[in-house]
Amino acid sequence: MSLTTIPQINRFLNEFKEIVTGNSWLEIIRRENNISGMISLGLDQDLATEEILYLTYKDYSEGPKDDRGEGYYGEVWVFGKVINNKLAYIKLKIDIKAGKKIAKCLSFHPAYPTLNLPYSDENI
């Protein structure tokens, strides 16, 4: 499998961010893992949204990958970002409901054990 290019990553991030800012809202899936994960990173939903809006291609880890699970479709993208000295695992998706694009954060919690960030300047 070939590495996703910087222009491909930027296209996804730009579209995702346009949906978030256009709707003034991001759907963060309310799983226990995400809620406790954001708390452990020192974030609430507004701060998590802000962190997502500041993602760049350097935070890219993997994707696009097919969304797994019965009844799911589309692609997911994984990013990693150091927040309060912890590496966060952030999984994003652009979904469609009733013909309208929705920005979704499927996962937001500390990365375990770690992530590969092929475009990062830092050793994480």
Side-chain angles (χ1 to χ4, degrees):
M1 184 167 91
S2 63
L3 185 64
T4 302
T5 66
I6 292 170
Q8 289 171 308
I9 299 163
N10 285 337
R11 271 193 298 278
F12 170 78
L13 285 172
N14 289 338
E15 182 178 8
F16 191 90
K17 292 173 185 181
E18 284 176 20
I19 294 167
V20 172
T21 57
N23 292 342
S24 300
W25 186 68
L26 167 68
E27 181 179 345
I28 298 178
I29 303 302
R30 302 207 38 93
R31 288 188 200 110
E32 178 57 36
N33 194 30
N34 290 339
I35 295 166
S36 62
M38 287 190 302
I39 291 169
S40 75
L41 292 165
L43 303 175
D44 60 16
Q45 183 157 336
D46 290 339
L47 290 172
T49 299
E50 192 173 304
E51 291 290 350
I52 289 169
L53 290 174
Y54 286 118
L55 289 173
T56 73
Y57 73 89
K58 291 182 179 186
D59 302 310
Y60 168 83
S61 180
E62 58 184 294
K65 305 187 313 185
D66 287 338
D67 194 1
R68 298 174 302 173
E70 191 173 324
Y72 293 100
Y73 63 92
E75 299 171 332
V76 296
W77 294 69
V78 176
F79 296 86
K81 185 172 188 175
V82 175
I83 301 171
N84 295 326
N85 298 316
K86 294 179 187 173
L87 180 61
Y89 175 93
I90 304 166
K91 186 189 297 184
L92 305 176
K93 176 181 181 177
I94 297 172
D95 206 352
I96 298 177
K97 287 186 181 175
K100 185 176 180 181
K101 290 183 179 181
I102 307 292
K104 284 187 172 182
C105 177
L106 305 177
S107 297
F108 201 125
H109 52 74
Y112 34 83
T114 190
L115 291 171
N116 176 33
L117 303 175
Y119 296 112
S120 177
D121 297 335
E122 303 175 35
N123 290 326
I124 299 173

